[in-house]
Amino acid sequence: MLFSEFNVKNEQLQGLLKYKYSAATNSIIDNTFLLPAFWDFIQVRLPKTLSPNLITLTGFLANVFGFAALVFYSSALEDQRPYSLLLLAFVCGFFYNTCDNLDGKHARALGVGSVIGELFDHGLDSMANIFQLFPVVMALEMTKINFYVVLALFLLTDSYSLLFFSRKLAVGKIQFQSVDTTEIQYTSFLGILITVIFGYSFWDISIPVPSTGISLNLRTIFGLAGSFPLLSNSCVQIYQQLSSQKRINVYYVFVQCGWIWMYSVLMFQCIPGAKLNCMPYFVMLGGCFSKLITETVFLSTGAEINRPWFRAEFLAPLFLFTNCYFNIVDPLLAVSLCATFTVFLWVAYFNLVVYKSARFLKLPVLTVPLRKLN
């Protein structure tokens, strides 16, 4: 039934009472001294009255601000942005990443870690992918390679995020690989910073590939370096999940992801002007992915949720295809409405999941429990 996933009853939340967070990391950055020491240096100076979830929310809003500044300057991916805006996006992205690493440390230091923090953190992370990816796409002018390379990077990034949490659903544990989300984020920060320092033309430099007679520009090399760990880690995730005992849940996630892939390609292939004014389309697709990822995170915490095979957010692409052939409204207005609709669905579901769970467990969301302050 349409919108049935929004019908969450208290008896479906009983699994939250037994849930325990479990994670392991082989991340190169997480296991080195410099950045963890930097995060620890900041964390011990944070006030005890500061909620970890408020740290998460502040970092997320900064990330949105950096992305919005680039998009409001121009919604066309191929346009060059001022270096000042790229620098702003770099600072906002770095601040988001720092907050994303501080919230968990601060929660453990205060002894307030809970499933609410995980739902809040990972729920916001699900939408942050688009705000992290497109600043580096713009800084490197990735559309010079091919538009569908950008689309592939977008689909690969969000699909990996989905696979990451569906693996937790399958095996009950979060596992970071040696080169994972943190390393990829810092690689993207480096790409933006290089553009700010050396200019857009830096990425046009070509390097010959020995014994092949071909040359690759630095833009292509950087894109391959960033996408390879996503692709290889995704293969590992898929293998581990299909070998688990909870394959039925995993199959549902895979099928829904496949639908998003299918209509993503069809939209940009069939709808006139979609490639030229592509950002609203990407925001719409980001909303679809984010809601599915948030549902997967919720399910992985032990909750029982309704999982419709025809999802409410699928109404957006269905309307776009209908409008393409019957011209019901202006195409730009249509995609803007659809983008707003899917993001609204994600926000509504995210709030439902977090606050329904918080009320059930009798825990605050954006404040520190009073018993921890005494």
Side-chain angles (χ1 to χ4, degrees):
M1 184 184 296
L2 206 59
F3 299 106
S4 62
E5 67 271 31
F6 285 89
N7 184 22
V8 180
K9 300 178 180 178
N10 282 346
E11 52 265 31
Q12 295 176 287
L13 303 177
Q14 295 296 323
L16 298 179
L17 298 171
K18 303 176 183 178
Y19 175 74
K20 289 185 178 180
Y21 180 74
S22 178
T25 179
N26 296 317
S27 168
I28 295 172
I29 289 180
D30 289 345
N31 291 321
T32 55
F33 174 74
L34 186 59
L35 280 170
F38 169 67
W39 298 328
D40 289 337
F41 175 82
I42 297 176
Q43 188 279 315
V44 296
R45 288 161 175 78
L46 295 175
K48 292 184 179 180
T49 54
L50 178 62
S51 166
N53 287 343
L54 200 54
I55 298 173
T56 309
L57 181 61
T58 304
F60 175 79
L61 292 176
N63 204 20
V64 173
F65 179 74
F67 169 80
L70 294 172
V71 173
F72 281 132
Y73 180 83
S74 174
S75 61
L77 275 181
E78 63 271 15
D79 288 350
Q80 291 185 351
R81 274 76 178 171
Y83 295 124
S84 57
L85 289 183
L86 292 180
L87 184 60
L88 174 64
F90 166 80
V91 172
C92 290
F94 183 82
F95 181 76
Y96 159 76
N97 180 270
T98 302
C99 290
D100 198 35
N101 284 283
L102 282 176
D103 52 12
K105 287 181 176 290
H106 193 52
R108 289 187 289 273
L110 296 179
V112 296
S114 70
V115 65
I116 303 303
E118 183 176 354
L119 290 172
F120 196 86
D121 182 12
H122 294 158
L124 289 182
D125 285 346
S126 70
M127 193 63 185
N129 290 329
I130 190 171
F131 308 133
Q132 290 276 286
L133 173 65
F134 281 98
V136 72
V137 166
M138 295 171 186
L140 271 66
E141 297 181 292
M142 297 294 286
T143 51
K144 284 188 174 181
I145 302 175
N146 189 285
F147 174 83
Y148 287 101
V149 170
V150 177
L151 177 59
L153 284 172
F154 167 79
L155 293 174
L156 186 58
T157 300
D158 266 350
S159 297
Y160 176 69
S161 182
L162 178 61
L163 287 170
F164 182 85
F165 291 112
S166 63
R167 179 194 182 278
K168 179 172 177 285
L169 169 64
V171 303
K173 183 179 182 179
I174 285 179
Q175 174 68 58
F176 291 95
Q177 307 299 324
S178 56
V179 178
D180 214 304
T181 306
T182 305
E183 286 74 19
I184 294 170
Q185 285 179 344
Y186 276 91
T187 301
S188 68
F189 298 156
L190 177 62
I192 297 171
L193 199 56
I194 287 174
T195 301
V196 171
I197 297 172
F198 298 103
Y200 288 100
S201 59
F202 173 83
W203 302 106
D204 294 322
I205 298 173
S206 295
I207 297 178
V209 180
S211 305
T212 63
I214 62 174
S215 296
L216 296 176
N217 58 39
L218 293 179
R219 180 182 298 106
T220 303
I221 295 172
F222 193 92
L224 290 173
S227 58
F228 178 76
L230 283 175
L231 189 59
S232 60
N233 289 352
S234 295
C235 293
V236 173
Q237 303 277 18
I238 292 171
Y239 172 77
Q240 292 176 340
Q241 291 171 46
L242 293 180
S243 304
S244 75
Q245 299 299 314
K246 297 183 178 180
R247 288 190 292 271
I248 185 63
N249 290 331
V250 172
Y251 289 153
Y252 173 80
V253 172
F254 285 2
V255 169
Q256 300 304 320
C257 182
W259 277 109
I260 300 175
W261 272 69
M262 184 189 73
Y263 65 65
S264 298
V265 175
L266 286 176
M267 274 195 305
F268 288 112
Q269 187 69 30
C270 301
I271 298 179
K275 296 177 189 176
L276 296 177
N277 293 295
C278 60
M279 286 313 304
Y281 291 89
F282 279 119
V283 171
M284 186 196 76
L285 295 170
C288 294
F289 265 116
S290 298
K291 184 166 172 287
L292 180 57
I293 293 169
T294 303
E295 288 180 33
T296 306
V297 172
F298 191 37
L299 191 62
S300 73
T301 58
E304 296 178 8
I305 63 174
N306 302 314
R307 288 166 289 168
W309 289 97
F310 185 84
R311 306 165 61 77
E313 56 269 29
F314 290 176
L315 292 173
L318 188 61
F319 174 71
L320 284 181
F321 287 123
T322 303
N323 188 68
C324 176
Y325 292 101
F326 293 100
N327 296 317
I328 303 170
V329 296
D330 178 76
L332 187 57
L333 175 61
V335 70
S336 298
L337 291 173
C338 289
T340 304
F341 174 69
T342 56
V343 172
F344 171 78
L345 280 179
W346 167 73
V347 172
Y349 189 77
F350 170 76
N351 277 279
L352 171 74
V353 164
V354 171
Y355 285 96
K356 184 85 174 180
S357 301
R359 285 194 295 270
F360 175 76
L361 297 172
K362 298 180 180 179
L363 291 172
V365 177
L366 293 176
T367 58
V368 178
L370 291 176
R371 66 180 181 273
K372 295 296 181 179
L373 297 176
N374 297 329

